Amino acid sequence: MTSSGLVALIGRPNVGKSTLLNRLIGEKIAIVSDKPQTTRHRILGVRTRDASQAIFVDTPGIHRPGFRLNARMMEEVYDCLRSVDLVVQVVDASESYGKGEEYVLNLIQKTEKPTILVLNKVDLINRAKVLPSLEFYNQQYDYREMIPLSAVKGDNFKVLEQKIAENLPQGEWQYPEDYLTNQTERSMVSEIIREKVLRRTRKELPYSTAVLVEALDEERREQGFVRIVASIIVDKQSQKKIVIGRAGRLVKTIGTEARLDIEKFLQVNKVYLDLNVKTIPGWRDREQLLDELGVRSTDYIDLGIIDH
Ligand SMILES: Nc1nc2c(ncn2[C@@H]2O[C@H](COP(=O)(O)OP(=O)(O)OP(=O)(O)O)[C@@H](O)[C@H]2O)c(=O)[nH]1
Ligand SMILES: [Mg+2]
């Protein structure tokens, strides 16, 4: 008998949801950075082992929506929570419990879905702190399992994998055995570039940046060569200057780092990356541009106030 189900990775920004997803899938399909709000839309990652197929949905970290962009990010989370069979709530063991975490917990309590709690980043804390944390969460919700682990070091990973498989409903697989993600090559390429921008910038820039792949020319792909034209979109002229850097140095570094990763990802010898920086004031509030950037919109489902 096979089992199959949708599993949502839910939690505050920066707790390690995408790191966890990559580890569960065994390939890097989601970008990761030390800046909160890295993930902007749902990503599917499929893991098929033995008789079970878990379809993971990596979601944007739950936060207060300011711009239209952020409202869309939160719609993705609510929509996802409604439709899944199992929730994996990820919390950061190194951060103390606060309003943000309380909000996530309220969402979970409201949806009443079967939920596994993952206490992530235990490599950053003293072991003595693990038990009190688990005891606290145990009082808040009737979790199926509570698992302390480190998504970067991999401790306790087997336990998580096994518990997820045990909690999937019986049923037919939805995807072929070797299917890994629903992301297109274009969106992966754009995400790889955005990851490098996030890594190389700070302050408001990570939140003011989007990447649009304008062309992915495959004419010479069989010879191992792909040409890509992409734009880094920022909100203000001053931000454009920062991304370009002195004598164009920063955008050059971002381009080189991205190109190397893209070559690996596309499995070609050489990528020619034509990278431009464009200022589009207010892009985060422009519906049409958000559509083009692939930040989906769904009917707004109000599961409660967002107030933290
Ligand atoms: N020390 C440590 N760092 C971790 C662990 N898991 C994730 N991180 C780091 O935490 C940061 C955030 O990781 P992400 O996977 O991008 O977090 P996320 O929850 O997807 O964040 P958003 O997409 O912004 O909601 C990165 O710098 C990761 O390397 C862990 O177990 N231990
Ligand atoms: Mg993420």
Side-chain angles (χ1 to χ4, degrees):
M1 191 65 194
T2 56
S3 64
S4 171
L6 264 180
V7 185
L9 295 164
I10 299 279
R12 291 183 52 208
N14 216 40
V15 294
K17 299 176 294 299
S18 300
T19 309
L20 202 64
L21 176 78
N22 291 337
R23 194 151 199 133
L24 286 161
I25 302 306
E27 297 257 350
K28 182 162 172 179
I29 58 169
I31 62 165
V32 165
S33 90
D34 60 356
K35 317 280 190 302
Q37 301 177 29
T38 296
T39 304
R40 286 190 178 154
H41 52 80
R42 271 179 291 183
I43 297 171
L44 277 195
V46 182
R47 180 193 154 89
T48 310
R49 297 286 190 289
D50 304 322
S52 85
Q53 181 167 79
I55 304 151
F56 292 99
V57 195
D58 184 17
T59 64
I62 295 175
H63 63 277
R64 179 190 200 142
F67 296 97
R68 192 67 210 139
L69 166 73
N70 303 78
R72 282 197 183 193
M73 285 158 74
M74 291 306 95
E75 287 162 15
E76 298 262 305
V77 177
Y78 304 146
D79 194 45
C80 171
L81 259 179
R82 258 194 337 161
S83 59
V84 297
D85 302 295
L86 180 68
V87 175
V88 173
Q89 180 190 354
V90 187
V91 300
D92 182 340
S94 68
E95 294 266 327
S96 50
Y97 184 84
K99 277 224 176 293
E101 217 52 84
E102 186 184 326
Y103 181 74
V104 177
L105 201 55
N106 285 340
L107 274 185
I108 299 218
Q109 286 161 342
K110 253 181 220 165
T111 53
E112 293 184 330
K113 294 271 179 180
T115 302
I116 294 176
L117 181 91
V118 165
L119 185 67
N120 190 31
K121 306 197 188 181
V122 290
D123 55 297
L124 295 178
I125 63 160
N126 189 315
R127 270 174 185 272
K129 287 192 170 163
V130 172
L131 207 57
S133 236
L134 295 180
E135 270 165 4
F136 170 80
Y137 280 100
N138 197 27
Q139 304 290 317
Q140 314 302 318
Y141 191 70
D142 189 11
Y143 290 104
R144 290 288 170 99
E145 302 288 340
M146 306 177 88
I147 305 166
L149 60 75
S150 166
V152 292
K153 299 219 162 138
D155 309 352
N156 250 354
F157 231 79
K158 284 270 174 301
V159 181
L160 174 65
E161 290 168 349
Q162 190 192 332
K163 296 302 175 189
I164 289 169
E166 281 173 16
N167 282 285
L168 292 179
Q170 290 190 338
E172 298 281 308
W173 292 350
Q174 318 265 316
Y175 293 95
E177 197 168 353
D178 55 359
Y179 189 92
L180 287 185
T181 181
N182 66 339
Q183 289 211 92
T184 60
E185 278 191 344
R186 241 172 213 263
S187 68
M188 272 302 296
V189 165
S190 120
E191 285 289 89
I192 290 170
I193 300 168
R194 195 163 64 82
E195 182 183 74
K196 305 310 170 199
V197 178
L198 290 183
R199 293 197 171 185
R200 290 281 166 190
T201 59
R202 41 185 85 215
K203 294 196 181 133
E204 87 275 25
L205 255 162
Y207 311 103
S208 315
T209 306
V211 174
L212 190 61
V213 173
E214 276 147 40
L216 202 154
D217 181 359
E218 305 203 69
E219 218 170 280
R220 291 171 59 199
R221 186 159 182 168
E222 282 192 5
Q223 288 98 56
F225 182 89
V226 172
R227 184 174 162 271
I228 295 170
V229 183
S231 289
I232 298 172
I233 298 169
V234 292
D235 205 43
K236 295 181 195 147
Q237 204 60 22
S238 57
Q239 295 165 342
K240 180 173 168 174
K241 268 197 191 148
I242 298 172
V243 175
I244 291 174
R246 203 170 289 162
R249 251 179 269 159
L250 189 60
V251 71
K252 198 169 168 214
T253 306
I254 290 168
T256 306
E257 289 179 352
R259 182 174 56 75
L260 294 173
D261 274 17
I262 296 167
E263 283 167 358
K264 235 188 277 166
F265 167 70
L266 293 177
Q267 295 181 305
V268 295
N269 299 329
K270 185 82 193 150
V271 162
Y272 175 75
L273 179 60
D274 181 355
L275 198 53
N276 311 292
V277 187
K278 284 185 187 160
T279 308
I280 305 182
W283 70 263
R284 284 169 293 183
D285 274 324
R286 291 201 196 179
E287 301 277 359
Q288 200 189 337
L289 192 63
L290 293 173
D291 286 341
E292 249 176 89
L293 290 167
V295 186
R296 271 163 300 205
S297 179
T298 51
D299 293 326
Y300 185 60
I301 295 131
D302 193 6
L303 285 176
I305 40 138
I306 302 177
D307 182 20
H308 54 91

